[in-house]
Amino acid sequence: MTTNKLSNDQIKNEGQSTRLFYDPNSLSSFNGYRIVHTHFDLNVDFDSNILYGYVQLDVKPLSNELCDCSSTIKTENKEIPNNYGNQVVLDSRHLNIKKVLLKSNDIEKSLSFQVDIERESLTIEMNDESKDSTISIIIHYSTSNTKCSALQWLTKEQTADRQYPYMFSQCQAIHARSLYPCQDTPGVKSTFTAKVKCPKPLTVLMSGLQTNYDENTNTFYFEQQQAIPSYLIAIAVGKLASYDLSPRIRVWTESSMIRQCQYEFEHAEQFLTAAEQLLGEYQWKRYDFLVLPPSFPYGGMENPCMNFLTPTLLAGDRSLISTIVHEMTHSWTGNLVTNENWEHFWLNEGFTSFIEAKILGNLDKANGKEVRRFHAAQQWQDLQTAVATWGAAHPYTCLVYRLNNTDPDDAYSSVQYYKGAAFLWYLEQDVIGSESDFDEFLRSYIIKFGRKILNTDDFIQYFQSYFPQAPSVDWQSWLYTPGMPPITHDFSTKLEEQCNQLATQLSPITKEQMNMLNAKQVAYLLNVLLNHKSTINRDYIEQLDTNCDMSKYSNCEICFRWYQLCIRVKFEKYLDNIFEFLKVIGRMKFVKPLYAEFKSSWPELIPRVQTFFDEHKKYMNPITVKQIEIRLNSQN
């Protein structure tokens, strides 16, 4: 395959001028004024469950005629959205705004402002202030103690060590606006510094590098020199312990979990080195990560310099390391190369999931191709489940979808992860036909778009310019058509065939057969059974449990699939286990399908499920609560 490769220096020198773009999920004036630096000065108040203090936003006025214009701006007359003249408009959700100041040459001047609760915006009148240079706006505020969707406050009883309270954030997709007034869009990237004071003996961690610490006041200082979007701002406060896994990798967690983390993630440096070999030098200096309490709603969150991980990865056998590989990969695809709005989310997650499988294969020197293919097969199974859940005609099963008047959380699923990964597999294997050529393309793509934002049109144009002689691609079917991909991949491996044979054999699966499978294969087998809805009944599940004693598994990836099968066939034996699982685990990948399965397969149990949820939701993350309420209240 002939390529049209530019040198790395040529690509870097192209740069990207300030880009005007469209984002249906932000009212902020990012096309009139652009935040370039953010400084936090905050206090952590566990008595009131709030953060209070101020944020300073250094804002650059934009001259639209000097900016690049994204293809996502589609208005007929090219009217530029999100530009309100002399008004700085920020996204602001349930924040208590106390005063707004303009800072100039150490002189502070009050600015008039208006909060629109319904539209979740803060409008600041700039009047006749100059638009010739960067201006600094200081906003004194506090977060809401009941409606801050970015923060979860835990009592000491909700932590592993049960000694001190705990707080952590989750800003993706559009929750940063409840943490601080901002331009809450992935298309705006800003550096940040922070000063955060909390009660002793607690520790503050953020998505930046710690630069100083005042022991007398227990004040922590941070800096992030690389510009990042608001969804990557992260903070956690708790009684934490740490262990250095390598000179540049440190794991943080509660002290009772540190030995588990030390064992489970012992090979983290090998993972990061393998990622660098594929993608280029790691750009963030440190790769530290925090293993959170179990109410954390995701498997992981790629906050730069301080990834957040769920404790459900602590399987005791290192079988769930793919999640940390996924979050590491985001250090390139997502954190460096970023989708300009959430309608193009697949550019973050599809690339990351595709590369994750590559890295897992590269880590296994003896059987790498088999490992990569089996991981891709697992992703394909999860994609089938997600498409079946939405319905094959649902617009959210497109890779690129519309989010007008829609919270990105409501459209979130594994479709953008695994349909995106399948698309890139197709481009590599079927269109280009060379893994090494495609690896070169990936490195070039990261250099080209690193520290920038892009949309799907940008990706298509760069792919076509890099591979000018490549066969034509049906972009419409892959990107904008709902349902499963237009091409079904064959990910056949011995590992997969073993599972498929067990799923389709006429006789019951035996204990001996199940013991031949590794943990990933058991999870895959259960996924296959979940997707064989017509052939799986209660007798089958009861016999499987009798033969194989499914209660012996503690791996959450296995447990949640087994519990979903039990709900589907109304197998009462595991009800107490299921409710205990839902009581402890907050990871949405696990709990959303279980609540949805109760709704669709066991409706007569819904009153008990609803009562259980109402009793326990006060201990759950607000993001998770909203998504479960949607599923329990749906009419489907």
Side-chain angles (χ1 to χ4, degrees):
M1 176 66 63
T2 302
T3 63
N4 185 18
K5 295 194 290 186
L6 297 173
S7 71
N8 289 352
D9 287 339
Q10 284 177 301
I11 297 170
K12 286 178 180 177
N13 289 336
E14 285 184 1
Q16 183 183 44
S17 61
T18 301
R19 167 170 275 204
L20 308 177
F21 63 96
Y22 158 80
D23 188 333
N25 298 116
S26 174
L27 282 175
S28 65
S29 54
F30 53 79
N31 286 332
Y33 292 88
R34 189 70 56 89
I35 297 172
V36 294
H37 181 75
T38 303
H39 174 71
F40 300 94
D41 191 316
L42 297 174
N43 298 273
V44 183
D45 184 346
F46 278 101
D47 293 329
S48 301
N49 286 354
I50 62 169
L51 297 179
Y52 67 92
Y54 71 85
V55 62
Q56 177 175 318
L57 305 176
D58 293 343
V59 180
K60 175 184 175 184
L62 300 185
S63 297
N64 286 179
E65 63 275 9
L66 301 178
C67 297
D68 170 41
C69 192
S70 166
S71 64
T72 57
I73 296 178
K74 296 180 181 294
T75 53
E76 291 181 8
N77 59 358
K78 283 291 182 183
E79 180 183 343
I80 303 301
N82 297 80
N83 186 342
Y84 310 111
N86 275 354
Q87 292 178 330
V88 172
V89 180
L90 302 171
D91 296 303
S92 174
R93 175 185 291 165
H94 303 301
L95 296 173
N96 177 19
I97 308 297
K98 298 174 181 177
K99 59 181 176 179
V100 179
L101 305 171
L102 178 68
K103 182 178 179 180
S104 178
N105 298 322
D106 293 327
I107 298 174
E108 295 181 355
K109 167 186 171 184
S110 292
L111 293 174
S112 61
F113 64 91
Q114 181 177 357
V115 174
D116 189 325
I117 296 174
E118 185 176 339
R119 290 166 59 84
E120 298 185 347
S121 65
L122 166 65
T123 299
I124 302 168
E125 299 292 342
M126 299 307 296
N127 300 322
D128 298 326
E129 302 301 332
S130 171
K131 294 193 70 172
D132 294 333
S133 60
T134 300
I135 54 179
S136 295
I137 299 172
I138 297 175
I139 304 168
H140 290 259
Y141 76 102
S142 62
T143 58
S144 168
N145 64 349
T146 58
K147 296 181 179 181
C148 178
S149 57
L151 299 179
Q152 183 172 9
W153 301 82
L154 305 180
T155 64
K156 64 181 182 181
E157 290 78 16
Q158 291 174 268
T159 67
D161 293 350
R162 297 179 176 272
Q163 291 183 324
Y164 296 95
Y166 200 121
M167 179 271 285
F168 64 85
S169 67
Q170 172 57 36
C171 286
Q172 192 181 40
I174 56 169
H175 299 282
R177 61 192 64 181
S178 71
L179 178 63
Y180 71 107
C182 58
Q183 294 175 338
D184 200 6
T185 166
V188 173
K189 295 185 176 185
S190 137
T191 55
F192 83 79
T193 50
K195 172 188 174 186
V196 184
K197 181 181 178 182
C198 75
K200 292 182 178 182
L202 305 184
T203 296
V204 179
L205 301 176
M206 290 193 74
S207 50
L209 300 175
Q210 185 176 326
T211 56
N212 206 349
Y213 170 62
D214 185 336
E215 185 176 2
N216 291 329
T217 60
N218 207 43
T219 301
F220 296 77
Y221 297 80
F222 300 90
E223 181 177 38
Q224 179 53 263
Q225 294 181 345
Q226 300 227 49
I228 61 173
S230 56
Y231 78 88
L232 292 177
I233 296 291
I235 184 170
V237 182
K239 184 69 170 67
L240 302 172
S242 66
Y243 179 83
D244 284 353
L245 296 164
S246 80
R248 60 176 175 171
I249 302 178
R250 178 177 298 148
V251 57
W252 291 85
T253 192
E254 295 180 71
S255 59
S256 62
M257 296 163 60
I258 198 69
R259 285 187 178 275
Q260 286 176 278
C261 293
Q262 180 183 342
Y263 170 80
E264 208 77 32
F265 305 118
E266 181 181 4
H267 300 132
E269 179 60 43
Q270 295 177 29
F271 307 158
L272 189 55
T273 299
E276 286 184 308
Q277 289 169 351
L278 179 62
L279 303 172
E281 183 182 359
Y282 182 71
Q283 301 288 316
W284 304 88
K285 295 185 180 179
R286 293 197 61 84
Y287 178 82
D288 296 340
F289 58 95
L290 169 66
V291 178
L292 287 157
S295 60
F296 182 57
Y298 294 100
M301 183 60 212
E302 60 269 21
N303 309 309
C305 307
M306 187 58 67
N307 281 189
F308 285 1
L309 296 177
T310 170
T312 63
L313 303 183
L314 302 176
D317 58 4
R318 298 173 179 159
S319 62
L320 302 179
I321 57 127
S322 62
T323 297
I324 191 171
V325 172
H326 182 94
E327 302 310 328
M328 277 183 177
T329 303
H330 270 307
S331 302
W332 289 268
T333 50
N335 297 5
L336 278 182
V337 180
T338 309
N339 47 232
E340 71 184 29
N341 69 37
W342 296 115
E343 296 181 339
H344 301 267
F345 185 44
W346 82 273
L347 292 168
N348 275 21
E349 294 298 353
F351 269 85
T352 301
S353 299
F354 172 74
I355 293 167
E356 163 198 339
K358 272 182 171 286
I359 293 172
L360 291 170
N362 292 346
L363 284 166
D364 193 313
K365 302 303 181 186
N367 201 23
K369 289 189 180 298
E370 180 100 346
V371 167
R372 182 191 174 194
R373 292 181 74 88
F374 184 61
H375 195 71
Q378 290 175 299
Q379 293 178 342
W380 185 267
Q381 280 286 335
D382 285 341
L383 173 61
Q384 288 181 311
T385 302
V387 170
T389 300
W390 283 117
H394 198 288
Y396 294 159
T397 63
C398 298
L399 269 186
V400 183
Y401 47 73
R402 294 291 167 250
L403 287 173
N404 292 324
N405 302 313
T406 301
D407 186 328
D409 285 349
D410 297 343
Y412 175 88
S413 76
S414 60
V415 170
Q416 281 62 49
Y417 292 67
Y418 302 144
K419 192 173 184 178
F423 180 39
L424 294 168
W425 178 280
Y426 162 73
L427 293 178
E428 177 190 272
Q429 300 286 322
D430 297 359
V431 177
I432 304 307
S434 167
E435 186 173 347
S436 60
D437 284 352
F438 205 77
D439 286 351
E440 285 289 333
F441 166 72
L442 288 175
R443 285 188 283 272
S444 173
Y445 166 83
I446 289 165
I447 294 170
K448 165 74 175 176
F449 293 105
R451 299 184 176 86
K452 302 171 189 171
I453 59 173
L454 81 161
N455 60 51
T456 301
D457 290 342
D458 299 314
F459 164 72
I460 294 172
Q461 290 167 12
Y462 189 65
F463 179 85
Q464 291 175 330
S465 68
Y466 190 93
F467 295 113
Q469 297 181 355
S472 62
V473 174
D474 185 353
W475 305 104
Q476 181 66 34
S477 294
W478 275 100
L479 297 167
Y480 303 103
T481 302
M484 289 297 290
I487 292 174
T488 299
H489 296 311
D490 179 10
F491 296 115
S492 297
T493 64
K494 292 179 182 178
L495 296 169
E496 184 205 18
E497 288 169 8
Q498 205 175 352
C499 300
N500 287 329
Q501 287 171 4
L502 292 179
T504 55
Q505 70 183 24
L506 297 177
S507 58
I509 298 171
T510 66
K511 178 181 179 180
E512 292 72 26
Q513 288 175 320
M514 189 69 92
N515 287 343
M516 293 289 289
L517 305 181
N518 63 37
K520 289 184 178 180
Q521 285 181 292
V522 175
Y524 183 83
L525 169 63
L526 296 179
N527 233 26
V528 174
L529 296 179
L530 282 166
N531 286 329
H532 286 182
K533 292 183 180 180
S534 59
T535 59
I536 303 304
N537 56 33
R538 178 173 174 140
D539 290 343
Y540 182 98
I541 294 301
E542 283 198 56
Q543 190 62 55
L544 180 61
D545 183 47
T546 299
N547 291 353
C548 303
D549 183 19
M550 297 302 292
S551 65
K552 69 185 178 187
Y553 292 105
S554 58
N555 182 311
C556 287
E557 292 283 350
I558 295 172
C559 288
F560 105 89
R561 291 176 170 89
W562 172 245
Y563 293 157
Q564 194 173 351
L565 284 167
C566 290
I567 297 169
R568 184 167 297 175
V569 302
K570 303 180 181 180
F571 188 23
E572 298 95 336
K573 175 182 173 181
Y574 279 90
L575 264 180
D576 288 344
N577 304 66
I578 293 168
F579 282 116
E580 183 61 27
F581 185 86
L582 291 172
K583 178 181 175 182
V584 174
I585 303 299
R587 186 176 175 186
M588 287 197 292
K589 176 183 180 180
F590 300 153
V591 300
K592 287 197 304 185
L594 294 179
Y595 278 100
E597 195 69 52
F598 272 122
K599 180 77 174 180
S600 61
S601 300
W602 211 340
E604 57 269 35
L605 214 64
I606 284 298
R608 178 179 172 184
V609 172
Q610 185 69 60
T611 299
F612 170 87
F613 173 68
D614 290 341
E615 289 175 352
H616 291 92
K617 66 182 180 181
K618 61 179 174 289
Y619 305 117
M620 301 168 69
N621 188 278
I623 299 172
T624 309
V625 169
K626 181 188 173 189
Q627 293 305 311
I628 294 172
E629 286 176 339
I630 289 172
R631 280 148 185 80
L632 288 178
N633 295 329
S634 71
Q635 300 304 310
N636 296 334

